[in-house]
Coordinates of all heavy atoms in Angstrom, one line a residue:
A1 N -4.7 -8.4 7.4 CA -3.7 -9.4 7.5 C -3.1 -9.4 8.9 O -2.8 -8.4 9.5 CB -2.6 -9.0 6.5
R2 N -3.1 -10.6 9.4 CA -2.6 -10.8 10.8 C -1.2 -10.4 11.0 O -0.8 -9.9 12.1 CB -2.9 -12.2 11.3 CG -4.3 -12.6 11.4 CD -4.7 -13.1 12.8 NE -4.2 -14.5 13.1 CZ -4.5 -15.6 12.5 NH1 -5.3 -15.6 11.5 NH2 -4.1 -16.7 12.9
C3 N -0.3 -10.6 10.0 CA 1.1 -10.3 10.2 C 1.3 -8.8 10.4 O 2.3 -8.4 10.9 CB 1.9 -10.8 9.0 SG 1.3 -10.2 7.4
Q4 N 0.4 -8.0 10.0 CA 0.5 -6.5 10.2 C 0.4 -6.2 11.7 O 0.7 -5.0 12.1 CB -0.6 -5.8 9.5 CG -0.3 -5.7 8.0 CD -1.5 -5.0 7.3 OE1 -2.3 -5.6 6.8 NE2 -1.4 -3.7 7.4
C5 N -0.1 -7.1 12.5 CA -0.2 -6.9 13.9 C 0.9 -7.4 14.8 O 0.9 -7.3 16.0 CB -1.6 -7.4 14.4 SG -2.9 -6.5 13.7
K6 N 1.9 -8.1 14.1 CA 3.1 -8.6 14.8 C 4.0 -7.5 15.1 O 4.9 -7.2 14.3 CB 3.7 -9.7 14.1 CG 2.9 -11.0 14.1 CD 3.7 -12.2 13.5 CE 2.8 -13.5 13.7 NZ 2.8 -14.3 12.4
I7 N 3.8 -6.8 16.2 CA 4.6 -5.6 16.6 C 5.1 -5.8 18.0 O 4.3 -6.2 18.9 CB 3.8 -4.3 16.4 CG1 3.3 -4.1 15.0 CG2 4.6 -3.1 16.9 CD1 2.3 -3.0 14.8
A8 N 6.4 -5.6 18.3 CA 6.9 -5.6 19.7 C 6.1 -4.7 20.5 O 5.8 -3.5 20.1 CB 8.3 -5.3 19.7
A9 N 5.7 -5.1 21.7 CA 4.9 -4.3 22.6 C 5.4 -2.9 22.8 O 4.7 -1.9 22.9 CB 4.7 -5.0 24.0
V10 N 6.7 -2.7 22.9 CA 7.3 -1.4 23.2 C 7.2 -0.5 21.9 O 7.3 0.7 22.1 CB 8.8 -1.5 23.6 CG1 8.9 -2.1 24.9 CG2 9.6 -2.2 22.5
E11 N 7.0 -1.1 20.8 CA 6.9 -0.3 19.5 C 5.4 0.0 19.2 O 5.2 0.6 18.1 CB 7.6 -1.0 18.4 CG 9.1 -1.1 18.5 CD 9.7 -2.0 17.5 OE1 9.1 -2.3 16.4 OE2 10.8 -2.5 17.7
R12 N 4.5 -0.4 20.0 CA 3.1 -0.2 19.6 C 2.7 1.3 19.7 O 3.1 2.0 20.7 CB 2.2 -1.0 20.6 CG 2.3 -2.4 20.4 CD 1.4 -3.2 21.4 NE 1.5 -4.6 21.3 CZ 1.0 -5.5 22.1 NH1 0.2 -5.0 23.1 NH2 1.1 -6.8 21.9
N13 N 1.9 1.8 18.8 CA 1.4 3.1 18.8 C -0.1 3.0 19.2 O -0.9 2.3 18.5 CB 1.5 3.8 17.5 CG 2.9 4.2 17.2 OD1 3.6 4.7 18.0 ND2 3.4 3.9 15.9
N14 N -0.5 3.6 20.3 CA -1.9 3.5 20.7 C -2.9 4.0 19.7 O -2.7 5.0 19.0 CB -2.0 4.4 22.0 CG -3.2 3.9 22.9 OD1 -4.0 3.1 22.4 ND2 -3.2 4.3 24.1
C15 N -3.9 3.2 19.5 CA -4.9 3.5 18.5 C -6.3 3.6 19.1 O -7.2 3.9 18.4 CB -4.9 2.3 17.5 SG -5.9 2.5 16.0
G16 N -6.4 3.4 20.4 CA -7.7 3.4 21.0 C -7.8 4.3 22.2 O -7.1 5.4 22.3
Y17 N -8.5 3.9 23.2 CA -8.7 4.7 24.5 C -8.6 3.6 25.6 O -8.8 2.5 25.3 CB -10.0 5.5 24.5 CG -11.2 4.6 24.1 CD1 -11.9 3.9 25.1 CD2 -11.6 4.6 22.8 CE1 -12.9 3.1 24.7 CE2 -12.7 3.8 22.4 CZ -13.4 3.1 23.4 OH -14.5 2.3 23.1
P18 N -8.3 4.1 26.8 CA -8.2 3.1 27.9 C -9.5 2.3 28.0 O -10.6 2.9 28.0 CB -8.0 4.0 29.1 CG -7.3 5.2 28.6 CD -8.0 5.4 27.2
G19 N -9.4 1.0 28.1 CA -10.6 0.2 28.3 C -11.3 -0.2 27.1 O -12.4 -0.8 27.1
I20 N -10.8 0.1 25.9 CA -11.5 -0.2 24.6 C -11.6 -1.7 24.5 O -10.7 -2.5 25.0 CB -10.7 0.4 23.4 CG1 -11.5 0.3 22.1 CG2 -9.3 -0.3 23.3 CD1 -10.9 1.1 21.0
S21 N -12.7 -2.2 23.9 CA -12.9 -3.6 23.7 C -12.2 -4.0 22.4 O -12.0 -3.2 21.5 CB -14.4 -3.9 23.6 OG -14.9 -3.4 22.4
A22 N -12.0 -5.3 22.2 CA -11.4 -5.8 21.0 C -12.3 -5.5 19.8 O -11.8 -5.1 18.8 CB -11.2 -7.4 21.1
T23 N -13.6 -5.6 20.0 CA -14.5 -5.3 18.9 C -14.4 -3.9 18.4 O -14.3 -3.6 17.2 CB -16.0 -5.6 19.3 OG1 -16.0 -6.9 19.9 CG2 -16.9 -5.6 18.1
E24 N -14.4 -2.9 19.4 CA -14.3 -1.5 19.1 C -13.0 -1.2 18.4 O -12.9 -0.4 17.5 CB -14.5 -0.7 20.3 CG -15.9 -0.5 20.8 CD -16.8 0.2 19.7 OE1 -16.4 1.2 19.1 OE2 -17.9 -0.4 19.4
C25 N -12.0 -1.8 18.9 CA -10.6 -1.6 18.4 C -10.5 -2.0 16.9 O -10.0 -1.3 16.1 CB -9.6 -2.4 19.2 SG -7.9 -2.2 18.7
K26 N -11.0 -3.2 16.6 CA -11.0 -3.7 15.3 C -11.9 -2.9 14.3 O -11.6 -2.7 13.2 CB -11.4 -5.2 15.2 CG -10.2 -6.0 15.9 CD -10.4 -7.5 15.7 CE -9.2 -8.2 16.2 NZ -9.5 -9.1 17.4
K27 N -13.0 -2.3 14.9 CA -13.8 -1.4 14.1 C -13.1 -0.2 13.6 O -13.3 0.3 12.5 CB -15.0 -1.0 14.9 CG -16.3 -1.8 14.7 CD -17.5 -1.2 15.3 CE -18.5 -2.2 15.7 NZ -19.3 -1.7 16.8
L28 N -12.1 0.2 14.4 CA -11.2 1.4 14.0 C -10.1 1.0 13.0 O -9.3 1.8 12.6 CB -10.6 2.0 15.3 CG -11.5 2.5 16.3 CD1 -10.7 2.9 17.6 CD2 -12.2 3.8 15.8
G29 N -10.1 -0.3 12.7 CA -9.0 -0.8 11.8 C -7.7 -1.0 12.5 O -6.6 -1.0 11.8
C30 N -7.8 -1.3 13.8 CA -6.5 -1.4 14.6 C -6.3 -2.8 15.0 O -7.2 -3.7 14.9 CB -6.6 -0.4 15.7 SG -6.7 1.3 15.2
C31 N -5.2 -3.1 15.6 CA -4.9 -4.4 16.1 C -5.2 -4.5 17.6 O -5.0 -3.4 18.3 CB -3.4 -4.7 16.0 SG -2.8 -4.6 14.3
F32 N -5.6 -5.6 18.1 CA -5.9 -5.8 19.6 C -5.1 -7.0 20.1 O -5.2 -8.1 19.6 CB -7.4 -6.0 19.8 CG -7.8 -6.0 21.2 CD1 -8.0 -4.8 21.9 CD2 -7.9 -7.1 22.0 CE1 -8.4 -4.7 23.2 CE2 -8.2 -7.1 23.3 CZ -8.5 -5.9 23.9
N33 N -4.4 -6.7 21.2 CA -3.7 -7.8 21.9 C -3.5 -7.3 23.3 O -2.8 -6.4 23.6 CB -2.3 -8.0 21.2 CG -1.5 -9.1 21.9 OD1 -1.7 -9.4 23.1 ND2 -0.7 -9.8 21.1
N34 N -4.2 -8.0 24.3 CA -4.1 -7.6 25.7 C -3.2 -8.5 26.5 O -3.3 -8.6 27.7 CB -5.5 -7.6 26.3 CG -6.2 -8.9 26.2 OD1 -5.7 -9.9 25.7 ND2 -7.5 -8.9 26.6
S35 N -2.2 -9.2 25.8 CA -1.4 -10.1 26.6 C -0.3 -9.4 27.3 O 0.4 -10.0 28.2 CB -0.8 -11.2 25.6 OG 0.0 -10.5 24.7
V36 N 0.0 -8.2 27.0 CA 1.1 -7.5 27.7 C 0.6 -6.4 28.5 O 0.0 -5.4 28.0 CB 2.2 -6.9 26.6 CG1 3.4 -6.3 27.3 CG2 2.6 -8.0 25.7
P37 N 0.7 -6.4 29.9 CA 0.2 -5.4 30.7 C 1.0 -4.1 30.6 O 2.1 -4.1 30.2 CB 0.3 -5.9 32.2 CG 1.3 -7.0 32.1 CD 1.3 -7.5 30.6
D38 N 0.3 -3.0 30.8 CA 1.0 -1.6 30.8 C 1.5 -1.2 29.4 O 2.4 -0.4 29.3 CB 2.1 -1.5 31.8 CG 1.6 -1.8 33.2 OD1 0.5 -1.4 33.5 OD2 2.3 -2.4 34.0
M39 N 1.0 -1.8 28.4 CA 1.3 -1.5 27.0 C 0.0 -1.3 26.2 O -1.0 -1.8 26.6 CB 2.1 -2.6 26.3 CG 3.5 -2.7 26.7 SD 4.5 -1.4 26.1 CE 5.8 -1.3 27.3
P40 N 0.0 -0.5 25.2 CA -1.3 -0.3 24.4 C -1.8 -1.7 24.0 O -1.1 -2.5 23.4 CB -0.9 0.5 23.2 CG 0.4 1.2 23.6 CD 1.1 0.3 24.6
W41 N -3.1 -1.9 24.2 CA -3.7 -3.1 23.8 C -4.3 -3.0 22.4 O -4.5 -3.9 21.6 CB -4.8 -3.6 24.8 CG -4.3 -4.1 26.1 CD1 -3.0 -4.2 26.4 CD2 -5.1 -4.5 27.2 NE1 -2.9 -4.7 27.7 CE2 -4.2 -4.9 28.2 CE3 -6.5 -4.6 27.4 CZ2 -4.6 -5.4 29.4 CZ3 -6.9 -5.0 28.6 CH2 -6.0 -5.4 29.6
C42 N -4.7 -1.8 22.1 CA -5.3 -1.4 20.8 C -4.2 -0.6 20.1 O -3.9 0.5 20.6 CB -6.6 -0.7 21.0 SG -7.4 -0.3 19.4
F43 N -3.7 -1.0 19.0 CA -2.5 -0.3 18.4 C -2.6 -0.3 16.9 O -3.3 -1.1 16.3 CB -1.2 -0.9 18.9 CG -1.1 -2.4 18.8 CD1 -0.5 -2.9 17.7 CD2 -1.6 -3.2 19.8 CE1 -0.3 -4.3 17.6 CE2 -1.5 -4.6 19.6 CZ -0.9 -5.2 18.5
T44 N -1.9 0.6 16.3 CA -1.9 0.8 14.8 C -1.1 -0.4 14.2 O 0.0 -0.7 14.6 CB -1.1 2.1 14.5 OG1 -1.6 3.1 15.4 CG2 -1.3 2.6 13.1
P45 N -1.7 -0.9 13.1 CA -1.0 -2.0 12.4 C 0.2 -1.5 11.6 O 0.2 -0.3 11.3 CB -2.1 -2.5 11.4 CG -3.1 -1.5 11.3 CD -3.0 -0.6 12.5
K46 N 1.1 -2.4 11.2 CA 2.2 -2.0 10.4 C 1.6 -1.7 9.0 O 0.6 -2.3 8.6 CB 3.2 -3.2 10.3 CG 4.1 -3.3 11.5 CD 5.2 -4.3 11.2 CE 4.8 -5.7 11.3 NZ 5.9 -6.7 11.6
P47 N 2.3 -0.8 8.3 CA 1.8 -0.6 6.9 C 2.0 -1.8 6.0 O 2.9 -2.6 6.3 CB 2.7 0.6 6.4 CG 3.9 0.6 7.3 CD 3.5 0.0 8.6
K48 N 1.1 -2.0 5.1 CA 1.1 -3.1 4.2 C 2.4 -3.0 3.3 O 2.8 -1.9 2.9 CB -0.1 -3.1 3.2 CG -1.4 -3.5 3.9 CD -2.5 -3.6 2.9 CE -3.7 -4.2 3.6 NZ -4.9 -3.4 3.5
K49 N 3.0 -4.1 3.0 CA 4.1 -4.2 2.1 C 3.5 -4.2 0.7 O 2.7 -5.1 0.4 CB 5.0 -5.4 2.3 CG 6.0 -5.2 3.5 CD 7.2 -6.1 3.3 CE 8.2 -5.9 4.5 NZ 8.1 -6.9 5.5
V50 N 4.0 -3.4 -0.2 CA 3.5 -3.4 -1.6 C 4.7 -3.5 -2.5 O 5.7 -3.0 -2.2 CB 2.6 -2.2 -1.9 CG1 1.3 -2.3 -1.1 CG2 3.3 -0.9 -1.7
R51 N 4.4 -4.1 -3.7 CA 5.4 -4.2 -4.7 C 4.8 -3.5 -5.9 O 3.6 -3.8 -6.3 CB 5.7 -5.7 -5.0 CG 6.9 -5.9 -5.7 CD 7.3 -7.4 -5.6 NE 6.2 -8.3 -5.7 CZ 5.7 -8.8 -6.8 NH1 6.2 -8.5 -8.0 NH2 4.6 -9.6 -6.8
K52 N 5.6 -2.7 -6.6 CA 5.1 -2.0 -7.8 C 5.7 -2.7 -9.0 O 6.9 -3.1 -9.0 CB 5.6 -0.6 -7.8 CG 4.8 0.4 -7.0 CD 5.4 1.8 -7.1 CE 4.5 2.8 -6.5 NZ 5.0 4.2 -6.8
S53 N 4.9 -2.9 -10.0 CA 5.4 -3.5 -11.3 C 4.7 -2.9 -12.4 O 3.5 -2.4 -12.3 CB 5.2 -5.0 -11.3 OG 3.8 -5.3 -11.3
C54 N 5.3 -2.8 -13.6 CA 4.7 -2.3 -14.8 C 3.9 -3.4 -15.4 O 4.4 -4.5 -15.6 CB 5.7 -1.8 -15.7 SG 6.6 -0.4 -15.1
P55 N 2.6 -3.2 -15.7 CA 1.7 -4.2 -16.2 C 2.3 -4.7 -17.6 O 2.7 -3.8 -18.4 CB 0.4 -3.6 -16.4 CG 0.6 -2.1 -16.2 CD 1.9 -1.9 -15.5
T56 N 2.3 -6.0 -17.8 CA 2.8 -6.5 -19.1 C 1.7 -6.6 -20.1 O 2.0 -6.5 -21.3 CB 3.4 -7.9 -18.9 OG1 2.5 -8.7 -18.1 CG2 4.8 -7.9 -18.2
D57 N 0.5 -6.7 -19.7 CA -0.7 -6.8 -20.6 C -1.0 -5.4 -21.0 O -1.3 -4.5 -20.1 CB -1.8 -7.5 -19.9 CG -3.1 -7.6 -20.8 OD1 -3.0 -7.2 -21.9 OD2 -4.0 -8.2 -20.3
V58 N -1.0 -5.1 -22.3 CA -1.3 -3.7 -22.7 C -2.7 -3.2 -22.3 O -2.9 -2.0 -22.1 CB -1.1 -3.5 -24.3 CG1 0.4 -3.7 -24.6 CG2 -1.9 -4.5 -25.1
R59 N -3.6 -4.2 -22.2 CA -5.0 -3.8 -21.8 C -5.0 -3.3 -20.3 O -6.0 -2.7 -19.9 CB -6.0 -5.0 -22.0 CG -6.2 -5.2 -23.5 CD -7.0 -6.5 -23.6 NE -6.3 -7.6 -22.9 CZ -6.4 -8.9 -23.2 NH1 -7.2 -9.3 -24.2 NH2 -5.7 -9.8 -22.5
G60 N -4.0 -3.7 -19.6 CA -3.9 -3.3 -18.2 C -3.3 -1.9 -18.0 O -3.2 -1.4 -16.9
R61 N -3.0 -1.2 -19.1 CA -2.3 0.1 -19.0 C -3.4 1.2 -18.7 O -4.3 1.3 -19.4 CB -1.6 0.5 -20.2 CG -0.4 -0.4 -20.5 CD 0.3 0.0 -21.7 NE 1.5 -0.8 -22.0 CZ 2.3 -0.7 -23.1 NH1 2.1 0.3 -23.9 NH2 3.3 -1.5 -23.3
R62 N -3.1 1.9 -17.6 CA -4.0 3.1 -17.3 C -3.1 4.3 -17.5 O -2.0 4.5 -17.0 CB -4.4 3.1 -15.8 CG -5.5 2.0 -15.6 CD -6.2 2.1 -14.2 NE -5.8 3.1 -13.3 CZ -5.0 3.0 -12.3 NH1 -4.4 1.8 -12.1 NH2 -4.7 4.0 -11.5
N63 N -3.6 5.2 -18.4 CA -2.9 6.4 -18.9 C -2.4 7.2 -17.7 O -3.1 7.6 -16.8 CB -3.7 7.2 -19.8 CG -2.9 8.0 -20.7 OD1 -1.7 8.2 -20.5 ND2 -3.5 8.6 -21.8
C64 N -1.1 7.6 -17.8 CA -0.5 8.4 -16.7 C 0.1 9.7 -17.4 O 0.5 10.6 -16.7 CB 0.6 7.6 -16.0 SG 1.5 8.6 -14.8
G65 N 0.0 9.8 -18.7 CA 0.7 10.9 -19.3 C -0.3 11.7 -20.3 O -1.4 11.8 -20.1
F66 N 0.3 12.1 -21.4 CA -0.4 12.8 -22.4 C 0.2 12.4 -23.8 O 1.4 11.9 -23.8 CB -0.3 14.3 -22.2 CG 1.1 14.8 -21.9 CD1 2.0 15.1 -23.0 CD2 1.6 14.9 -20.6 CE1 3.3 15.5 -22.7 CE2 2.9 15.3 -20.4 CZ 3.8 15.6 -21.4
P67 N -0.5 12.6 -24.9 CA 0.1 12.3 -26.2 C 1.4 13.0 -26.4 O 1.6 14.1 -26.1 CB -1.0 12.7 -27.2 CG -2.2 12.8 -26.4 CD -1.8 13.2 -25.0
G68 N 2.4 12.2 -26.8 CA 3.8 12.8 -27.1 C 4.7 12.9 -25.9 O 5.8 13.5 -26.0
I69 N 4.3 12.4 -24.7 CA 5.1 12.5 -23.5 C 6.4 11.7 -23.8 O 6.4 10.7 -24.5 CB 4.4 11.9 -22.3 CG1 5.1 12.3 -21.0 CG2 4.1 10.4 -22.4 CD1 4.3 12.0 -19.7
T70 N 7.5 12.2 -23.2 CA 8.8 11.5 -23.4 C 9.0 10.5 -22.2 O 8.3 10.7 -21.2 CB 10.0 12.5 -23.4 OG1 10.1 13.1 -22.1 CG2 9.8 13.6 -24.4
A71 N 9.9 9.6 -22.4 CA 10.2 8.6 -21.4 C 10.6 9.3 -20.1 O 10.2 9.0 -19.0 CB 11.3 7.6 -21.8
K72 N 11.5 10.3 -20.2 CA 12.0 11.1 -19.1 C 10.8 11.8 -18.3 O 10.8 11.7 -17.1 CB 13.0 12.1 -19.5 CG 13.9 12.6 -18.4 CD 15.1 13.4 -18.9 CE 16.3 12.7 -18.5 NZ 17.4 12.9 -19.5
Q73 N 9.9 12.4 -19.1 CA 8.8 13.1 -18.4 C 7.9 12.1 -17.7 O 7.4 12.4 -16.6 CB 7.9 13.9 -19.5 CG 8.6 15.1 -20.1 CD 7.8 15.6 -21.3 OE1 7.4 14.8 -22.2 NE2 7.6 16.9 -21.3
C74 N 7.7 11.0 -18.3 CA 6.9 9.9 -17.8 C 7.5 9.4 -16.5 O 6.8 9.3 -15.4 CB 6.7 8.8 -18.8 SG 5.7 7.4 -18.2
E75 N 8.8 9.1 -16.5 CA 9.4 8.5 -15.3 C 9.5 9.6 -14.2 O 9.4 9.2 -13.0 CB 10.8 8.0 -15.7 CG 10.7 6.6 -16.4 CD 11.9 6.3 -17.3 OE1 12.9 7.0 -17.2 OE2 11.7 5.4 -18.1
R76 N 9.6 10.9 -14.5 CA 9.5 11.9 -13.5 C 8.2 11.9 -12.8 O 8.1 12.3 -11.6 CB 9.8 13.3 -14.2 CG 10.9 14.0 -13.4 CD 11.1 15.4 -14.0 NE 12.2 15.4 -14.9 CZ 12.2 16.0 -16.1 NH1 11.2 16.7 -16.5 NH2 13.2 15.9 -16.9
K77 N 7.2 11.5 -13.5 CA 5.8 11.4 -12.8 C 5.7 10.1 -12.0 O 4.7 9.9 -11.3 CB 4.7 11.4 -13.9 CG 4.6 12.7 -14.6 CD 3.4 12.6 -15.6 CE 2.1 12.7 -15.0 NZ 1.0 12.9 -15.9
G78 N 6.8 9.2 -12.1 CA 6.8 8.0 -11.3 C 6.0 6.9 -12.0 O 5.5 6.0 -11.4
C79 N 5.8 7.0 -13.4 CA 5.1 6.0 -14.1 C 5.9 5.1 -15.0 O 7.1 5.3 -15.1 CB 4.0 6.7 -14.9 SG 2.7 7.4 -13.8
C80 N 5.3 4.1 -15.6 CA 6.0 3.2 -16.5 C 6.0 3.8 -17.9 O 5.0 4.4 -18.3 CB 5.3 1.9 -16.6 SG 5.1 1.1 -15.0
F81 N 7.0 3.5 -18.7 CA 7.0 4.0 -20.1 C 7.4 2.8 -21.0 O 8.3 2.1 -20.8 CB 8.0 5.1 -20.3 CG 8.0 5.7 -21.7 CD1 7.1 6.7 -22.0 CD2 8.9 5.3 -22.6 CE1 7.1 7.3 -23.2 CE2 8.9 5.8 -23.9 CZ 8.0 6.8 -24.2
N82 N 6.6 2.7 -22.1 CA 6.9 1.7 -23.1 C 6.2 2.2 -24.4 O 5.0 2.3 -24.4 CB 6.4 0.3 -22.7 CG 6.8 -0.8 -23.7 OD1 7.1 -0.5 -24.9 ND2 6.7 -2.0 -23.3
S83 N 7.0 2.5 -25.4 CA 6.4 3.1 -26.6 C 5.8 2.1 -27.6 O 5.6 2.4 -28.8 CB 7.4 4.0 -27.3 OG 8.6 3.2 -27.6
H84 N 5.7 0.8 -27.2 CA 5.1 -0.2 -28.0 C 3.9 -0.8 -27.3 O 4.0 -1.0 -26.1 CB 6.1 -1.3 -28.4 CG 7.3 -0.8 -29.2 ND1 7.2 -0.5 -30.5 CD2 8.5 -0.4 -28.8 CE1 8.3 0.0 -30.9 NE2 9.2 0.1 -29.9
P85 N 2.9 -1.3 -28.0 CA 2.6 -1.1 -29.4 C 2.0 0.3 -29.5 O 1.7 1.0 -28.5 CB 1.6 -2.2 -29.7 CG 0.9 -2.5 -28.4 CD 2.0 -2.2 -27.3
A86 N 1.7 0.7 -30.8 CA 1.0 2.0 -31.0 C -0.5 1.8 -30.6 O -1.0 0.7 -30.6 CB 1.1 2.3 -32.5
G87 N -1.1 2.9 -30.3 CA -2.5 2.9 -30.1 C -2.9 2.6 -28.6 O -4.1 2.5 -28.3
V88 N -1.9 2.5 -27.7 CA -2.2 2.3 -26.3 C -1.4 3.3 -25.6 O -0.4 3.8 -26.1 CB -1.9 0.8 -25.8 CG1 -2.8 -0.2 -26.5 CG2 -0.5 0.5 -26.0
P89 N -1.7 3.6 -24.3 CA -0.9 4.6 -23.5 C 0.5 4.1 -23.4 O 0.8 2.9 -23.2 CB -1.6 4.6 -22.2 CG -3.0 4.1 -22.4 CD -2.9 3.1 -23.5
W90 N 1.5 5.0 -23.7 CA 2.9 4.7 -23.6 C 3.4 5.0 -22.2 O 4.4 4.5 -21.8 CB 3.7 5.6 -24.6 CG 3.5 5.1 -26.0 CD1 2.7 4.1 -26.5 CD2 4.2 5.7 -27.2 NE1 2.8 4.0 -27.8 CE2 3.7 4.9 -28.3 CE3 5.1 6.7 -27.3 CZ2 4.1 5.2 -29.6 CZ3 5.5 6.9 -28.6 CH2 5.1 6.2 -29.7
C91 N 2.7 5.9 -21.5 CA 3.1 6.3 -20.2 C 1.9 5.9 -19.3 O 0.8 6.3 -19.5 CB 3.3 7.8 -20.0 SG 3.8 8.3 -18.4
F92 N 2.2 4.9 -18.4 CA 1.0 4.3 -17.6 C 1.4 4.0 -16.2 O 2.6 3.9 -15.9 CB 0.5 3.1 -18.3 CG 1.6 2.1 -18.8 CD1 2.0 1.0 -18.0 CD2 2.3 2.4 -20.0 CE1 3.0 0.2 -18.4 CE2 3.3 1.5 -20.4 CZ 3.6 0.4 -19.6
Y93 N 0.4 3.9 -15.4 CA 0.6 3.7 -13.9 C 1.1 2.3 -13.6 O 0.9 1.3 -14.4 CB -0.7 3.9 -13.2 CG -1.1 5.3 -13.1 CD1 -2.1 5.8 -14.0 CD2 -0.6 6.2 -12.2 CE1 -2.5 7.1 -13.9 CE2 -0.9 7.5 -12.1 CZ -1.9 8.0 -13.0 OH -2.3 9.3 -13.0
H94 N 1.9 2.1 -12.5 CA 2.3 0.8 -12.0 C 1.1 0.0 -11.5 O 0.1 0.6 -11.1 CB 3.2 1.0 -10.8 CG 4.6 1.5 -11.1 ND1 4.9 2.8 -11.2 CD2 5.7 0.8 -11.5 CE1 6.2 3.0 -11.5 NE2 6.7 1.8 -11.7
R95 N 1.3 -1.2 -11.5 CA 0.3 -2.1 -10.8 C 0.9 -2.3 -9.4 O 2.1 -2.5 -9.3 CB 0.2 -3.5 -11.5 CG -1.1 -3.7 -12.1 CD -1.3 -5.1 -12.7 NE -0.8 -6.1 -11.8 CZ -0.1 -7.1 -12.4 NH1 0.2 -7.2 -13.6 NH2 0.4 -8.1 -11.6
V96 N 0.0 -2.1 -8.4 CA 0.5 -2.3 -7.0 C 0.0 -3.6 -6.5 O -1.2 -3.9 -6.5 CB 0.1 -1.1 -6.2 CG1 0.5 -1.3 -4.7 CG2 0.6 0.2 -6.7
V97 N 0.9 -4.5 -6.0 CA 0.5 -5.8 -5.5 C 0.9 -5.9 -4.0 O 2.0 -5.6 -3.6 CB 1.3 -6.9 -6.3 CG1 0.9 -8.3 -5.8 CG2 1.1 -6.7 -7.8
E98 N -0.1 -6.2 -3.2 CA 0.1 -6.4 -1.8 C 0.8 -7.7 -1.6 O 0.5 -8.7 -2.2 CB -1.2 -6.4 -1.0 CG -1.7 -5.0 -0.8 CD -3.0 -5.0 0.0 OE1 -3.3 -6.0 0.7 OE2 -3.8 -4.0 -0.1
E99 N 1.8 -7.7 -0.7 CA 2.6 -8.9 -0.4 C 2.2 -9.5 0.9 O 1.6 -8.9 1.8 CB 4.1 -8.6 -0.4 CG 4.6 -8.1 -1.7 CD 6.1 -8.1 -1.8 OE1 6.7 -7.6 -0.8 OE2 6.6 -8.4 -2.8

């Protein structure tokens, strides 16, 4: 995502080596912008923004607990809890959506 590379020049964290090419830089998974002299041209992208949500479709539930887990135990693991319907995991992982 290009927006991950919109970083003020002074906030850039160097990701390459002096004289690195745009191609080499991108191969490392980094951003390249040589418009600002005396600043890193190859730099670390911003972390992706993600949103967590509990899947509404019961078929999308990936088990995060064990049979008989309580809501409190499940939430302590950082997972979703829903005791309905029977026969599917009640404690399950979030769906992570990139924004």
Side-chain angles (χ1 to χ4, degrees):
R2 290 235 288 295
C3 56
Q4 285 178 262
C5 292
K6 285 190 177 135
I7 300 171
V10 293
E11 290 172 19
R12 291 178 183 174
N13 290 316
N14 205 345
C15 189
Y17 50 85
I20 190 169
S21 70
T23 310
E24 279 303 308
C25 177
K26 289 189 175 114
K27 265 189 208 154
L28 297 171
C30 301
C31 302
F32 187 85
N33 180 333
N34 59 2
S35 63
V36 186
D38 301 324
M39 285 289 155
W41 289 358
C42 182
F43 51 95
T44 315
K46 281 193 282 205
K48 288 186 170 121
K49 278 203 178 104
V50 293
R51 196 166 39 90
K52 283 180 166 183
S53 66
C54 295
T56 46
D57 183 357
V58 293
R59 289 171 308 206
R61 292 184 183 179
R62 287 192 0 263
N63 201 348
C64 177
F66 50 86
I69 192 170
T70 66
K72 195 169 247 147
Q73 289 170 315
C74 177
E75 281 154 17
R76 228 181 268 138
K77 291 180 78 171
C79 292
C80 303
F81 185 85
N82 186 340
S83 57
H84 296 284
V88 295
W90 289 3
C91 181
F92 46 96
Y93 290 98
H94 287 91
R95 247 189 36 226
V96 177
V97 183
E98 280 181 23
E99 296 191 319

